[in-house]
Amino acid sequence: MRGLEAWYGESQALYGVDLDVYPGETVTLLGRNGVGKTTTLRSLMGIVRKRSGTIEFNERSILRLPLHRVAHAGIGFVPEERGIFASLSVEENLMLPPVVAGSGKAMSLDEIYTLFPNLLERRHSPGTKLSGGEQQMLAIARILRTGVSMILLDEPTEGLAPVIIDRIGEMLKVLKTYGLSVLLVEQNFRFAARIADHFYVMDQGRMIDSFAVTELSGRRESLNKALGV
Amino acid sequence: MTMIFGVPLVVLTGQLLIGLINGSFYALLSLGLAVIFGLLRVVNFAHGAFYMLGAFTAWMLGQYLGLGYWGALVLAPVIVGLVGALVERTMLRRLYDLDHLYGLLFTFGLALLLEGLFQHFFGSSGKPFSAPAEMKGILRTDFVTVPIYRGWVVVASLVVCFGTWALIEKTKIGSYLRAATEDSTLVQAFGVNVPLLLTLTYAFGCALAGIAGVLAAPIFQVSPTMGSNMIIIIFAVVVVGGMGSILGAIATGYLLGIVEGLTKVFYPEAANIVIFVIMAAVLMVRPAGLFGKEY
């Protein structure tokens, strides 16, 4: 992603954002509330339409694709608030996103139920009757079933208990072994530090810093300042 | 003669049946409105016009192509659905990003246009359309007398209504529709072709109105104004049932038809306004409607 700018109506939200995610890598986007992290994900996905710059995925420009084609290019989206549908059962929620062609890595329903036994048990309940943690699992599981090669995760730990956050962290490590690329937006720095390979820091719609996990220890101080912890 | 509450049983069941038949049309039409509103957030004022279009298409198919009732019952709704798809693709689609009021104004204008066109070419007087020969008889029992065709209307409407309900609640495409009704952007981000889903939904809702139109053709006359007479009642039904609830729309349609029929027996003077009185009462107690969700 190069020089991405995005607008909500007349007001500009992103200013020349550059970002790289290499295959199989987990990248975390850090920053305070309202600096443009979610907007970056939503612009990348094509949900925010008013944007300019370059977005390439597998050497193919996806900026001009209609929203429903972006998923078929191989990108899955797990929104903030999880986006579980109340009028659909757990299994219908799971089956909703179409499997994307030509990836070959799509998990079958059986594999998903083996990985998430809770979902199997409650597959006929309405999606929103699950606990917050289970809903987050469902939101991630339904993307795994599509066989995309990259997942955009928006604040998966928000509002969840520490023990559930640990489980989601474990799950993301499992995803890594499947070779999936993950772009994670996260406020919970300690959670992100455990799973990410690379970090980007945003402030006021701009990218202000970028470093690998190996450089993390030397940066604690400047990070704390940027994140206002 | 058996009497109930001082009313002969045959009169009572007769009015009940008329109520049920009117209710069949109310249910079919408000169902289509509810499906369209649920996904597109468009209050489809042209719904009555599509109902009229269904009846006229059936009449024209018979008049110009010699097609019988059964052929028309299949073909006319398909044609109405295609017209609906064309309207959505070329015009309605452009209004989604604007205030919902524009969708309402556009479909209202479309209704006037269609009605005007048909009045211009076919005149205001109704065209006769006869029921198929095999349904011309009357079924008589001790407690009810039913023209067979009217019985068929009730059965057909029940089948179509519950078929639609099953399509929405039990199938894959129905799950797309329900999910997109909640959050269409997210469903599209998952890779579902939501613009196509919108077209199909509008076409399907219009086709339902077309079915109602063909079913109505042998009972009422086929006339350009048949839709505008109906649409006001349908909106009252939808307000009572609550926008966006599928079963609610079906149940309220039949219920209000029956209430209207019974009012004709016990207090005929109020029969024409009873639905609107109920609408006012429901609006005061439950503004979202009997089965509605708050939006």
Side-chain angles (χ1 to χ4, degrees), chain A residues 27 119 122 153 187:
Chain A
V27 170
L119 299 183
R122 312 210 42 196
L153 271 174
Q187 304 257 18

Side-chain angles (χ1 to χ4, degrees), chain A residues 68 72 86-87 92 95-96 98, chain B residues 172 178 182 188 190-192:
Chain A
H68 57 270
H72 292 282
S87 58
E92 281 176 327
M95 302 298 284
L96 184 77
Chain B
K172 179 86 187 175
R178 276 175 287 143
E182 285 184 49
Q188 195 177 359
F190 284 160
V192 176

Side-chain angles (χ1 to χ4, degrees), chain B residues 36 38-41 84-85 88-89 92-93 96 177 180-181 184 188 193-205:
Chain B
I36 290 173
L39 186 59
L40 283 73
R41 291 289 182 272
E88 198 276 344
R89 276 272 142 149
L92 194 54
R93 159 153 307 187
Y96 292 151
L177 185 98
T181 298
S184 63
Q188 195 177 359
N193 190 341
V194 170
L196 179 65
L197 188 67
L198 295 174
T199 306
L200 290 178
T201 303
Y202 191 73
F204 181 75

Side-chain angles (χ1 to χ4, degrees), chain A residues 17-142:
Chain A
V17 170
D18 297 344
L19 181 113
D20 292 297
V21 181
Y22 294 99
E25 198 181 40
T26 298
V27 170
T28 298
L29 201 50
L30 297 166
R32 277 175 299 200
N33 264 329
V35 298
K37 304 188 301 294
T38 294
T39 304
T40 304
L41 284 199
R42 292 169 65 87
S43 307
L44 171 57
M45 196 69 214
I47 294 171
V48 173
R49 299 303 299 181
K50 206 171 170 188
R51 51 210 168 123
S52 68
T54 314
I55 305 175
E56 277 187 11
F57 184 71
N58 290 339
E59 289 165 16
R60 174 179 169 206
S61 171
I62 57 167
L63 191 76
R64 295 279 155 246
L65 286 184
L67 178 55
H68 57 270
R69 294 269 173 74
V70 177
H72 292 282
I75 305 180
F77 182 55
V78 180
E80 209 175 358
E81 315 292 337
R82 301 162 196 130
I84 301 302
F85 296 101
S87 58
L88 274 64
S89 71
V90 168
E91 190 156 290
E92 281 176 327
N93 265 288
L94 202 49
M95 302 298 284
L96 184 77
V99 173
V100 305
S103 64
K105 283 182 300 190
M107 286 173 84
S108 69
L109 199 57
D110 284 344
E111 285 175 289
I112 282 177
Y113 281 147
T114 314
L115 203 60
F116 308 96
N118 293 11
L119 299 183
L120 176 64
E121 237 168 74
R122 312 210 42 196
R123 65 184 188 277
H124 297 304
S125 331
T128 45
K129 288 279 188 272
L130 297 178
S131 70
E134 287 172 323
Q135 286 190 32
Q136 190 62 59
M137 306 272 178
L138 175 56
I140 297 172
R142 72 179 167 192

Side-chain angles (χ1 to χ4, degrees), chain B residues 11-51:
Chain B
V11 174
L12 192 65
T13 52
Q15 283 304 326
L16 235 144
L17 194 77
I18 289 178
L20 199 58
I21 291 157
N22 284 336
S24 300
F25 294 118
Y26 300 164
L28 273 176
L29 288 166
S30 60
L31 173 63
L33 271 186
V35 171
I36 290 173
F37 179 79
L39 186 59
L40 283 73
R41 291 289 182 272
V42 168
V43 178
N44 188 28
F45 248 91
H47 218 64
F50 283 110
Y51 162 80

